[in-house]
Amino acid sequence: MSIPDTIAAPLPEPGPPLPAARRPAPSPARAAWRVARQAGAFIASLALTFLGLTCVTFVIGRFIPADPVLAVVGDRATREVYDKARLDMGLDRSIPEQYFIYLKKVLSGDFGHSVITSQPVLYDLMRFFPATFELATIATIIGVAVGIPAGVAAGANRGRWPDHTIRIVGLFGYSMPVFWLGLVGLFVFYGRLGWVSGPGRLDVFYEDILEPRTGVILIDSALAGEWGIFWNAFGHLILPAAILGYIALAYIARMTRSFMIDQLSQEYVTAALIKGRSFRGVVWGHAFPNILVPLITVIGLAYAGFLEGAVLTETVFAWPGLGRYITQSLFNADMNAVLGGTLVVGAVFIGINLSCDFLYKVADPRLRAP
Amino acid sequence: MTIASADPGGKISLRAWLADETPKSRTQAFLANLWRGVVALCSNPVAFGGLAVVLAIVLVAALAPLFAFGISPIEQDLAHRLAPPSPTHWFGTDELGRDIYARTVYGARVTLTIVVLVSVIVVPIGLTVGTAAGYLGGIVDTVLMRITDIFLAFPRLILALAFASALGAGLRNAVIAIALTAWPPYARLARAETITIARSDYIAAVVLQGASTPRILLRHVVPLCLSSVIVRLTLDMAGIILTAAGLGFLGLGQQPPTPEWGAMVSSGRDLILDQWWVATIPGLAIFVASLGFNLLGDGLRDVFDPKAA
């Protein structure tokens, strides 16, 4: 066991004062090489995390059901059917071999067939994804549009009433069960006030009129010039999006506040104030650009989080998205669909997460290690 | 080890004994530290509010039969199903005529059970992985942290959902599913703490005395990591409650007829437009419990870790 060198290390000799560090500006080639190296590390960690994800879904699918063959053929199957299914599923091979077969299938986009829809799982996922995408995007926009100004206001007025108000609003957002908030929202705004439309993406009247191009109804209807459908879809979308947006707002405002406080305590802020710039000018002109970079990660995390937070919201609002697809498959013991969905949501989540980390490093010069 | 040799014995008051700057024994030092923490906590209004809510919930859960006034949470009364809130049924009755007030009171038990069980599983795993990675460094560190990162990168509810569905519905499996997705932040936290601790002189001194690695980790590193882990745990408990309620809402938590808040909200889902109380009241309970832990955690962090606030 090595002894930490805090004891043994001799004190540094007091030499002549070092010249002020003046590193030559890195050449463009070197800078490009650094970005390339970071990109390499990024792709490697992406691949590794994805491999880990497939390991987990493989383990869940292969080991946790008492007998995966029985789960497929049912317990009334004859011996021959059972044996054939076992061979078909490759369960006579060794575990690592099974894993590689699974990995190969996953990489080629083959998640098996869904038992309920009897379509390939990948096809189902592509069909359900646009709804989740639509919801998550609008929710993130709401969260960013409200959360960032609120967080800046809280950070700039630390300890005063805007700060306390925003802290309480944020704490409430953190503590609300999203499915309950959805139900209460439906009760108040749909049931009592009638301001918004009920569950689903469109009224029954409008369904199946629109030719799906992107699958995102707001875009499709606008492209087709069907403004009636557009506003109908908007009425359905706004409540779930606002509720998810509130959850994002709580998180974004809190992080923005703490970044802002951090920046406002820096010396450049004092310098700018002494020079005579107004406080508002310092906050938005000097401090805000500095918090933008870490905010990328926060917004990305919130966005990625919706792909899972949406599971509950989609259930409450009967929103035909990924989360609802996964939960419905779950209750019909459709393991292929559940694991395929988990894998895809996980992959998107990991992708967004790590991309933000990467962007963050590329965008912030201070984080580029020499 | 000596046990509290400094006897307060009437002459020195207990408070003075606790505030003593030069503790005579380990126990006294420990108790004095604890006392200072409690005083700091209670003088912070946010933390105090949170503590009050959490203690109230613990009390209600522990004495559920008393708080429910002897009303059974599972007894059905189909003649009075979906009754609105009234003096006989404070929060109304659900679709099987069960008293929602009693069910909400008993539901605190399930929620607290999940929170406690998850904490008991998660903290040791996180501490073991984190301290080992931080102290041993090198290849152990790389491997353990990669595994942690992989788990950290997963969407928590989806993974818990997949686990819970594969293991089957039920309280035990919900706890396992939540714990499996909740431990990575603790490992990271413990590792970060350990790296700074491992460089300190007193660890070098213990190494020179010939202490084994497990002993160093257990006796000299883990106790110092505990305070930040506990702060983090309190903040996390709100999230655990929400995840548990989410699993319950989807039918993967505690199975009926035992009352569980998430499942109660779910049973009131289709009734929300006409019988709002069925879903609203248990949801409010989840919100209050989660808010209590959030307030307590926020306050604890203000008190013990002012830097991060």
Side-chain angles (χ1 to χ4, degrees):
Chain A
M1 171 92 345
S2 69
I3 300 161
D5 53 12
T6 41
I7 294 175
L11 286 170
E13 293 276 309
L18 292 162
R22 205 199 275 157
R23 219 186 295 134
S27 66
R30 186 169 288 185
W33 165 241
R34 204 167 47 211
V35 170
R37 216 176 44 197
Q38 274 173 354
F42 164 68
I43 289 165
S45 76
L46 197 66
L48 209 60
T49 316
F50 183 74
L51 273 185
L53 181 62
T54 55
C55 272
V56 173
T57 46
F58 174 72
V59 167
I60 294 177
R62 170 67 181 79
F63 291 101
I64 294 182
D67 187 342
V69 182
L70 273 190
V72 171
V73 297
D75 50 4
R76 295 230 199 121
T78 58
R79 191 74 218 171
E80 293 89 71
V81 174
Y82 180 92
D83 286 341
K84 186 171 179 314
R86 191 176 148 81
L87 276 181
D88 282 349
M89 293 168 74
L91 291 176
D92 52 332
R93 301 175 192 233
S94 69
I95 300 295
E97 235 180 310
Q98 285 182 36
Y99 174 67
F100 279 114
I101 292 170
Y102 173 74
L103 195 63
K104 224 165 85 184
K105 275 187 172 177
V106 165
L107 285 178
S108 61
D110 177 9
F111 300 116
H113 279 66
S114 156
V115 177
I116 324 168
T117 62
S118 69
Q119 302 278 2
V121 169
L122 189 67
Y123 172 82
D124 278 350
L125 291 174
M126 307 256 272
R127 218 155 44 91
F128 284 100
F129 183 73
T132 297
F133 172 75
E134 191 175 26
L135 184 60
T137 308
I138 302 287
T140 310
I141 291 173
I142 293 175
V144 169
V146 184
I148 291 183
V152 171
N157 295 291
R158 191 181 183 184
R160 275 174 285 161
W161 67 265
D163 190 15
H164 294 308
T165 314
I166 289 161
R167 185 179 188 179
I168 290 170
V169 171
L171 266 178
F172 274 49
Y174 270 110
S175 311
M176 295 265 187
V178 64
F179 52 90
W180 175 74
L181 196 60
L183 283 174
V184 173
L186 271 180
F187 170 62
V188 174
F189 294 107
Y190 170 63
R192 286 289 148 98
L193 298 173
W195 289 357
V196 299
S197 309
R201 282 180 94 184
L202 278 176
D203 284 355
V204 180
F205 176 70
Y206 286 114
E207 260 168 33
D208 296 324
I209 295 179
L210 211 57
E211 170 106 8
R213 285 193 225 176
T214 58
V216 180
I217 292 185
L218 288 184
I219 296 179
D220 283 352
S221 59
L223 283 179
E226 297 274 6
W227 295 104
I229 299 182
F230 181 87
W231 288 114
N232 185 267
F234 184 77
H236 281 277
L237 177 65
I238 192 66
L239 185 62
I243 282 166
L244 280 179
Y246 177 43
I247 308 285
L249 182 159
Y251 174 61
I252 292 175
R254 184 182 204 152
M255 298 310 286
T256 310
R257 172 185 180 270
S258 83
F259 294 148
M260 204 69 203
I261 287 175
D262 197 38
Q263 287 301 324
L264 288 178
S265 67
Q266 305 282 325
E267 286 181 353
Y268 73 85
V269 169
T270 320
L273 285 173
I274 291 170
K275 267 167 55 187
R277 186 138 198 214
S278 68
F279 185 63
R280 179 189 285 260
V282 172
V283 167
W284 289 104
H286 291 260
F288 187 66
N290 275 313
I291 68 168
L292 268 182
V293 175
L295 270 183
I296 295 175
T297 309
V298 169
I299 294 167
L301 271 179
Y303 194 40
F306 282 146
L307 293 166
E308 63 156 339
V311 171
L312 294 168
T313 316
E314 282 174 7
T315 308
V316 171
F317 286 94
W319 194 261
L322 277 187
R324 199 168 135 80
Y325 175 69
I326 293 175
T327 43
Q328 295 228 316
S329 312
L330 202 116
F331 295 123
N332 293 299
D334 191 348
M335 264 332 242
N336 276 344
V338 173
L339 292 180
T342 307
L343 205 57
V344 167
V345 172
V348 174
F349 190 83
I350 292 168
I352 296 182
N353 246 335
L354 293 179
S355 311
C356 286
D357 254 20
F358 176 63
L359 271 181
Y360 181 41
K361 277 183 193 148
V362 171
D364 189 345
R366 283 165 303 184
L367 283 179
R368 287 186 209 141
Chain B
M1 198 192 308
T2 54
I3 310 288
S5 51
D7 176 34
K11 284 174 200 160
I12 321 160
S13 73
L14 185 64
R15 189 170 288 196
W17 183 72
L18 283 170
D20 195 350
E21 290 288 324
T22 50
K24 314 278 183 306
S25 69
R26 227 170 144 163
T27 322
Q28 188 185 358
F30 173 75
L31 287 175
N33 247 333
L34 201 68
W35 172 249
R36 275 197 291 276
V38 169
V39 168
L41 200 63
C42 290
S43 56
N44 178 316
V46 175
F48 185 72
L51 189 65
V53 173
V54 170
L55 285 181
I57 293 169
V58 171
L59 199 68
V60 165
L63 303 173
L66 198 68
F67 277 95
F69 305 115
I71 305 170
S72 160
I74 51 172
E75 202 179 275
Q76 303 181 4
D77 178 9
L78 293 174
H80 295 99
R81 60 196 290 273
L82 298 174
S86 66
T88 39
H89 298 290
W90 287 6
F91 293 165
T93 58
D94 67 3
E95 73 283 2
L96 294 172
R98 298 173 294 197
D99 185 70
I100 294 182
Y101 172 71
R103 286 178 69 74
T104 309
V105 165
Y106 276 90
R109 288 188 161 180
V110 175
T111 302
L112 283 186
T113 310
I114 292 177
V115 167
V116 170
L117 287 180
V118 170
S119 318
V120 167
I121 299 172
V122 158
V123 171
I125 297 180
L127 278 175
T128 312
V129 172
T131 52
Y135 187 73
L136 298 175
I139 184 88
V140 180
D141 185 23
T142 314
V143 170
L144 286 180
M145 279 303 112
R146 266 276 72 114
I147 295 175
T148 309
D149 277 350
I150 287 173
F151 270 90
L152 203 60
F154 282 171
R156 191 159 161 182
L157 187 66
I158 296 264
L159 195 62
L161 217 64
F163 273 120
S165 66
L167 293 165
L171 181 71
R172 195 190 59 196
N173 292 341
V175 168
I176 295 175
I178 298 172
L180 275 173
T181 53
W183 66 269
Y186 298 92
R188 277 206 155 174
L189 192 66
R191 174 177 176 268
E193 294 269 335
T194 307
I195 286 178
T196 47
I197 295 168
R199 291 211 194 99
S200 53
D201 290 349
Y202 77 88
I203 293 291
V206 189
V207 172
L208 286 174
Q209 284 178 347
S212 65
T213 306
R215 187 188 169 89
I216 296 170
L217 287 181
L218 210 62
R219 299 291 299 266
H220 300 277
V221 176
V222 167
L224 287 169
C225 295
L226 266 183
S227 71
S228 55
V229 164
I230 285 172
V231 171
R232 168 81 207 212
L233 183 67
T234 320
L235 275 172
D236 237 23
M237 279 179 175
I240 294 172
I241 290 176
L242 291 184
T243 312
L247 286 179
F249 180 75
L250 294 172
L252 293 168
Q254 176 76 46
Q255 294 303 294
T258 313
E260 198 274 332
W261 292 340
M264 286 166 73
V265 175
S266 164
S267 77
R269 207 182 126 196
D270 297 330
L271 310 165
I272 186 74
L273 295 181
D274 301 312
Q275 285 90 19
W276 54 268
W277 55 90
V278 181
T280 313
I281 304 284
L284 217 52
I286 302 170
F287 171 60
V288 170
S290 160
L291 186 67
F293 278 106
N294 262 332
L295 288 174
L296 181 61
D298 243 35
L300 274 178
R301 198 182 46 186
D302 282 354
V303 171
F304 295 110
D305 191 9
K307 255 189 322 195

